[in-house]
Amino acid sequence: MVTHTEENYLKALFTLANEASEVNISDLGILLEVSTPTVNSMVKKLHAKDLVVYEKYRPLVLTAKGRKEAALIIRKHRLTEMYLVEKMGFGWEEVHEIAEQVEHITSWAFFDKMDDLMGHPTVDPHGSPIPDKNGQVDRKPLLKLSTCQAGEQVRLEALANSSTEFLKYLNSKQLSLGVNLEIVSVEAFDGSMVVKYLGHTAQSLSQTVCEKLQVQKL
């Protein structure tokens, strides 16, 4: 039996492993905002349950069992976020905290019903892939907007960051998934872009924002 706290650690490890080649105790502590001794103690428990490979001074690695467990927690979280937006009318900036609570429900019938009612979505409201029932993740190859060139047309497909503050910023700019953008110009000095979309003829986006927007060329 995996506890709620252990689930949070597994999910954090899964997330970090997809962002970096190596994950260590301090990385996990920073993400979860807990002390190094606390992380160390929990990782040892996960190791004893064959969920994490833990060796002193070596990077942390999820076992096959641990990776599947983590992916299924993420499946529950992302299905919940999608349900809250699609069926209940929540904004994409409102759903994370609610999904954090719902993801710990153990009944798979509950989440399977959600999945059925939505027609089996493959991504959450922020464009992140929803793992399947076997914990497999199908990642669509996407580009950062910051790597695109002037004159290109792209569609916003996902976000590399889904913090509440960033989502509220995108709301203020009327930027949402599925929006087509035309890159008018790219500033050589700082990488900022001027783009056209939805009636905005000259919207400026900083390089920081462009790094977080994941797109597909049209």
Side-chain angles (χ1 to χ4, degrees), residues 37-93:
T38 300
V39 177
N40 209 51
S41 174
M42 178 56 72
V43 166
K44 287 178 180 177
K45 291 179 183 178
L46 295 173
H47 176 77
K49 292 185 176 184
D50 190 31
L51 296 167
V52 173
V53 177
Y54 170 69
E55 297 178 50
K56 213 168 185 179
Y57 309 120
R58 300 292 299 273
L60 299 172
V61 179
L62 285 166
T63 63
K65 178 182 174 183
R67 187 167 182 81
K68 181 177 181 179
E69 186 79 33
L72 291 177
I73 298 162
I74 289 170
R75 172 176 171 79
K76 292 192 286 187
H77 183 100
R78 292 179 178 171
L79 279 172
T80 300
E81 288 194 331
M82 198 63 180
Y83 189 86
L84 289 167
V85 169
E86 187 175 300
K87 298 297 184 181
M88 300 186 72
F90 282 88
W92 63 347
E93 78 281 4

Side-chain angles (χ1 to χ4, degrees), residues 44-208:
K44 287 178 180 177
K45 291 179 183 178
L46 295 173
H47 176 77
K49 292 185 176 184
D50 190 31
L51 296 167
V52 173
V53 177
Y54 170 69
E55 297 178 50
K56 213 168 185 179
Y57 309 120
R58 300 292 299 273
L60 299 172
V61 179
L62 285 166
T63 63
K65 178 182 174 183
R67 187 167 182 81
K68 181 177 181 179
E69 186 79 33
L72 291 177
I73 298 162
I74 289 170
R75 172 176 171 79
K76 292 192 286 187
H77 183 100
R78 292 179 178 171
L79 279 172
T80 300
E81 288 194 331
M82 198 63 180
Y83 189 86
L84 289 167
V85 169
E86 187 175 300
K87 298 297 184 181
M88 300 186 72
F90 282 88
W92 63 347
E93 78 281 4
E94 300 177 295
V95 297
H96 178 74
E97 291 301 324
I98 302 171
E100 285 280 294
Q101 299 171 54
V102 175
E103 71 187 28
H104 297 298
I105 292 173
T106 57
S107 170
W108 272 109
F110 178 79
F111 295 98
D112 288 345
K113 177 60 72 174
M114 269 188 195
D115 193 25
D116 290 342
L117 289 171
M118 292 187 290
H120 312 290
T122 57
V123 296
D124 74 4
H126 315 112
S128 299
I130 298 174
D132 67 19
K133 291 182 178 182
N134 296 312
Q136 297 300 308
V137 182
D138 184 15
R139 296 185 181 278
K140 184 193 296 185
L142 297 172
L143 302 168
K144 292 180 180 179
L145 179 60
S146 57
T147 65
C148 299
Q149 306 298 317
E152 291 184 327
Q153 296 186 34
V154 300
R155 181 171 54 250
L156 180 57
E157 296 280 0
L159 308 175
N161 178 298
S162 57
S163 69
T164 300
E165 294 75 18
F166 185 53
L167 293 171
K168 286 180 176 178
Y169 168 82
L170 295 181
N171 286 346
S172 74
K173 300 294 183 183
Q174 294 183 296
L175 276 171
S176 58
L177 300 191
V179 168
N180 294 339
L181 305 97
E182 180 182 340
I183 302 166
V184 177
S185 63
V186 181
E187 176 56 58
F189 174 68
D190 62 4
S192 62
M193 289 184 173
V194 173
V195 297
K196 291 199 299 188
Y197 63 95
L198 297 180
H200 298 273
T201 56
Q203 179 67 62
S204 179
L205 300 175
S206 70
Q207 184 183 40
T208 300

